[in-house]
Amino acid sequence: MKLFIGNKNPPFALDVALDGSVLSFSVRSVMQQEFVGDPSKLHANGGKFFDQALIAEWRGGFGVFGDPIYQRTLDLEILRQHAEFSDHASFMLYAPVGVMERYGTPSGVFQQTPNLYVATLGSKMDAQAYHASVLQTHPIGHILVPFRSSPFEDWTLGFNVFSPELIKASHNIEVIPAITLALVREETLPVVRFVGGPSLNVVSNGEVSINFKFETPDGEPIEERDAEVYLESTAGYLVARRVRTAGGAGSTSFRPDGMAAGDSAKIKVGFKYFSGTDDLMVNVL
């Protein structure tokens, strides 16, 4: 499994392991090496050195404490039973570090694993705005699920950690530096694209086929996974607004009911909790 890391949190040590379907992670405090030494001596910048005897190990330029300040274990198989489990899902993880530690976030928040896209479906807020204005928290990470049918190996982890050197991961987890976790979601989770777009024409008393398929964000077709696709239109009539794909593709029909020549309708396509991954304009002739 891939683990992408961003650096939006203050420094702490992170241990991550995947044993079958069981994911576990723990957070430990760190101290910069320049402040660690003989506690009886003064540092040049003031104050005494931090006692080196209290450091359990070194990771790069940081000394790591022995006892975790937070640890959690999740069975990914049980996560499949989550009420918000869906295609194109981002389950958020929280821990008492950074902003959440400073503002005394209730401990119950750290045991929650909400689907970001369920929480933001109505407001259409991005993750940063949602956490800053609604939850007033900052997540430690996420678990990305491309499709409900995807095996664990296709899921993706993401953690906000100051530096790659502060992470220890089990042998079956590949650590990959990233710019932000928001970018990881954007570049990792699947999308639905219209075929033959960005526009189609239909006569006023006719009907046109609307075709779509799954793709990776960089345009590679996804044919081995299927899911329910959700569509909506600003005008006219979609024969089916929820379609189960076959071989990663699907279709429905559109009729310009109530529309006249010269009118246009915008059709959006996406997932249940993440709508509008692509747009299609249908023009009435």
Side-chain angles (χ1 to χ4, degrees):
M1 183 179 286
K2 293 181 179 180
L3 188 165
F4 292 89
I5 61 166
N7 61 354
K8 293 185 68 175
N9 264 323
F12 58 80
L14 179 73
D15 294 82
V16 187
L18 183 64
D19 183 5
S21 66
V22 178
L23 173 70
S24 60
F25 65 93
S26 62
V27 176
R28 290 188 286 161
S29 297
V30 299
M31 180 63 67
Q32 288 177 258
Q33 186 173 13
E34 64 177 292
F35 298 112
V36 178
D38 185 344
S40 66
K41 295 182 178 180
L42 294 176
H43 191 276
N45 292 335
K48 294 183 178 181
F49 280 93
F50 186 80
D51 190 352
Q52 184 167 336
L54 299 177
I55 299 297
E57 62 175 296
W58 291 94
R59 297 188 185 180
F62 294 91
V64 182
F65 289 76
D67 295 327
I69 59 175
Y70 179 78
Q71 50 192 342
R72 186 177 181 189
T73 299
L74 301 93
D75 190 332
L76 301 183
E77 189 62 52
I78 294 178
L79 188 61
R80 290 186 184 276
Q81 303 169 24
H82 195 294
E84 298 175 353
F85 192 75
S86 67
D87 305 302
H88 194 105
S90 176
F91 289 98
M92 307 306 290
L93 302 171
Y94 302 94
V97 296
V99 172
M100 298 191 77
E101 179 184 31
R102 291 196 300 271
Y103 291 107
T105 305
S107 59
V109 172
F110 307 134
Q111 299 305 312
Q112 297 179 17
T113 316
N115 184 344
L116 171 68
Y117 298 123
V118 174
T120 59
L121 181 63
S123 65
K124 304 297 183 183
M125 298 175 71
D126 63 28
Q128 183 174 354
Y130 171 72
H131 284 102
S133 62
V134 179
L135 290 189
Q136 298 183 349
T137 63
H138 187 67
I140 191 175
H142 64 211
I143 302 171
L144 301 185
V145 180
F147 295 96
R148 292 176 60 91
S149 61
S150 297
F152 298 138
E153 308 89 76
D154 291 350
W155 296 18
T156 302
L157 301 175
F159 280 90
N160 281 312
V161 183
F162 183 76
S163 171
E165 66 186 2
L166 290 169
I167 295 180
K168 277 189 176 181
S170 59
H171 67 89
N172 51 357
I173 296 178
E174 178 186 4
V175 179
I176 304 171
I179 298 175
T180 66
L181 296 193
L183 192 59
V184 172
R185 290 190 289 272
E186 182 178 324
E187 296 183 347
T188 301
L189 290 172
V191 294
V192 193
R193 297 293 187 206
F194 286 112
V195 178
S199 65
L200 293 174
N201 296 327
V202 61
V203 296
S204 58
N205 61 345
E207 183 173 298
V208 64
S209 179
I210 306 296
N211 303 299
F212 44 85
K213 61 180 180 178
F214 291 131
E215 291 184 353
T216 64
D218 58 3
E220 291 297 317
I222 301 173
E223 300 175 344
E224 71 279 7
R225 298 288 164 215
D226 287 305
E228 282 192 324
V229 167
Y230 288 71
L231 302 102
E232 57 183 83
S233 177
T234 58
Y237 175 72
L238 283 168
V239 174
R241 296 174 179 267
R242 188 170 68 181
V243 179
R244 180 77 184 179
T245 62
S251 65
T252 185
S253 297
F254 174 83
R255 295 198 296 264
D257 294 358
M259 301 176 67
D263 290 346
S264 296
K266 178 187 285 188
I267 301 176
K268 291 181 174 290
V269 68
F271 299 91
K272 183 177 182 179
Y273 298 125
F274 195 85
S275 61
T277 65
D278 200 12
D279 296 338
L280 176 69
M281 293 299 299
V282 180
N283 305 306
V284 182
L285 301 179

